[in-house]
Amino acid sequence: MSRRTIIDALLPLEDCTQTGARFVPASGEHRFHTYADVLLRARTAAARLQREGLETGDRVAVVLPTSIEFFDAFLGAQLAGGIPVALYPPFRLGKLDEYFARVRRMLGKVGAKFLITESRIKRLLGPAVVGVESLRTVMDAGDLLADAGIWRQPAIDASQPAFLQFSSGSTVEPKAVMVSHTNLIANLEMMKGCLPYRDESEPVDGAVCWLPLYHDMGLVGCLFQGLNYPATVTYLGPEIFLAKPAAWLQTLSRYRAVISPAPNFAYGLCASKIRDEEMQNVDLSRWRAALNGAEPIDIQDVDRFCERFAKWGFRREAMTPVYGLAEAGLGVTFSGLDEAPLITEFDRDELSLEGRAKPGSGRRLVSVGRPLAGLEVVIRDEEGRPQPPDSTGRILVKGPSITTGYYRDPDLTAQILRDGWLDTGDLGFFHEGNLYIAGRAKDVIILRGRNYAPQEFEELLATVEGVRRGAAVAVGSTVDGLGEQLFILAEKDSRSERPDEEIVEDIQGHILRGLSVMPHQVEILSPGTLPRTSSGKLRRSEALRQFLAGQLAAPARVTALRMLKEVGKSQLAWARFRSEKKPE
């Protein structure tokens, strides 16, 4: 059967009774659904959505945690002919107003007609839906399998969106990437050739995923790749991993999985937080692909993780740096399987002053591998001219998985796409055929003619006592009479008793010794103050904007009384929403 659309890929799962999706709650008692069951549930949900009036092309917002109900809603919307878009649940309870405003903009941006959620989330969600003119039907995921009726397979154009993926970038205005059926199928097949979802030599499960399913690495790299292979994927909620990082490694060992992806911070968190006693009887020797992507890779975290868990069988060759983005479907470059990460030290002056990658001393970078089969990756300067190897420039990608643009946003689309080439917005270079990421174009800090990636400053703060790990940003801003200057915004570790003044002096000293730069200003913030994307990335530009505007505030305290007030506010908002949608 030719797989033109994701529906074509899902229907053969009717006979798939050996592999499936396993859900492990905090209690540890798993629920396993074969892919045949996943398909049956999704078809039933699709029939119910069609019965509720969903028409081909209708956008369906899905606000659900990691669960079989997420599968029901997302795949059911696709099988019904709709275009699902996964939105993140409210996870930063101290910044609910910011969450409501952002979700309201997302719903309006895509013109969502349906919203599928659950009762626990709905209790708080009301303020996010008020004023969304397109929204007509709000459903509880638990009702999708009731009174469904008969499913009618829709006629789908493969060039139309299979789903919309909100970019996890740091801009204020949300951007909905159109991932067509063609894009999705193409990228799944590209990645399939690089990933060992099954070890034929012994019975093993395919993958473990704790990544949120509203993020492309979890949605495409785990959910859809598991379905496409097909191979069993075991799912943990991200809240389980964050509360107990050892649960990730314990689950990998228990189910003998061979692949699991994560952003770089997760490897650092495991190295620093997991205790030896939590690793009793854990065996990581079967883990062949510890994919490391979605954010800049910190070599110190890679080294610490590999050294820390070697005694439990983790092989350095399993650490697999990768590069990708939602606008490319997901994957763009992969390091070689069963090869140790390729780390090269480059001359810092040549990189920052001349944009040339010359082996030397000063800046260690890890390669993110080579382009996937079917993708072209080139480096170009600001005028669009091709750059030779070892020259830094903008990373451009071309191929069948590249998006046709942002939904309902032709101006932004024109900024990233030209003649089929996607401008990723990232800076990098090829060295001996391998891609290295040098930074993000819009985040570059220019001081006295030198270009610095913010990570160069941020990495120096990892050992500053009193700074919350992974919660500091370096940003550049023009100061009258002084030109561009360096600002450091750092959250304080809640366990630290050091005076802020001491932490500031320590930060200044680390940066001065490491890069011969004195920050113009260092601001110590309360934990949780810095704005983040839905996937947890720090939003540097937004942090600077809020700081300069005097709006960078600590999250509100989450108390029982405040939550009661938020629930009451949400109930009033839902009442207003229902009155707005009442037929005249």
Side-chain angles (χ1 to χ4, degrees), residues 84-157:
V85 51
L87 306 182
Y88 61 108
F91 61 90
R92 300 188 79 186
L93 297 179
K95 292 197 171 186
L96 282 175
D97 288 343
E98 178 183 306
Y99 169 80
F100 295 142
R102 192 162 178 83
V103 169
R104 192 181 306 117
R105 289 198 300 271
M106 289 176 171
L107 292 170
K109 171 72 76 173
V110 302
K113 183 176 178 180
F114 286 75
L115 170 64
I116 303 174
T117 187
E118 62 169 27
S119 58
R120 291 175 300 171
I121 295 173
K122 188 178 179 182
R123 290 178 65 203
L124 290 173
L125 201 58
V129 303
V130 173
V132 181
E133 295 183 2
S134 61
L135 193 57
R136 291 290 177 267
T137 304
V138 178
M139 298 183 66
D140 190 295
D143 296 332
L144 287 174
L145 305 186
D147 303 321
I150 299 174
W151 172 62
R152 302 180 305 279
Q153 184 171 343
I156 299 294
D157 186 335

Side-chain angles (χ1 to χ4, degrees), residues 15-50:
D15 299 321
C16 193
T17 59
Q18 300 301 311
T19 54
R22 179 187 294 110
F23 300 90
V24 180
S27 65
E29 294 301 319
H30 74 255
R31 293 170 58 197
F32 181 77
H33 296 269
T34 68
Y35 284 137
D37 183 43
V38 168
L39 176 63
L40 177 62
R41 293 175 64 106
R43 289 176 63 164
T44 304
R48 176 62 190 269
L49 288 168
Q50 290 174 333

Side-chain angles (χ1 to χ4, degrees), residues 446 477-485:
I446 304 174
S477 182
T478 301
V479 177
D480 289 345
L482 298 176
E484 184 158 1
Q485 296 292 310

Side-chain angles (χ1 to χ4, degrees), residues 121-196:
I121 295 173
K122 188 178 179 182
R123 290 178 65 203
L124 290 173
L125 201 58
V129 303
V130 173
V132 181
E133 295 183 2
S134 61
L135 193 57
R136 291 290 177 267
T137 304
V138 178
M139 298 183 66
D140 190 295
D143 296 332
L144 287 174
L145 305 186
D147 303 321
I150 299 174
W151 172 62
R152 302 180 305 279
Q153 184 171 343
I156 299 294
D157 186 335
S159 66
Q160 296 305 301
F163 63 90
L164 301 178
Q165 175 69 58
F166 274 103
S167 171
S168 61
S170 59
T171 58
V172 175
E173 185 63 25
K175 302 176 294 185
V177 180
M178 293 186 288
V179 181
S180 73
H181 291 267
T182 297
N183 298 154
L184 178 57
I185 296 296
N187 204 238
L188 289 174
E189 289 302 307
M190 291 174 189
M191 293 189 294
K192 183 177 180 179
C194 301
L195 298 174

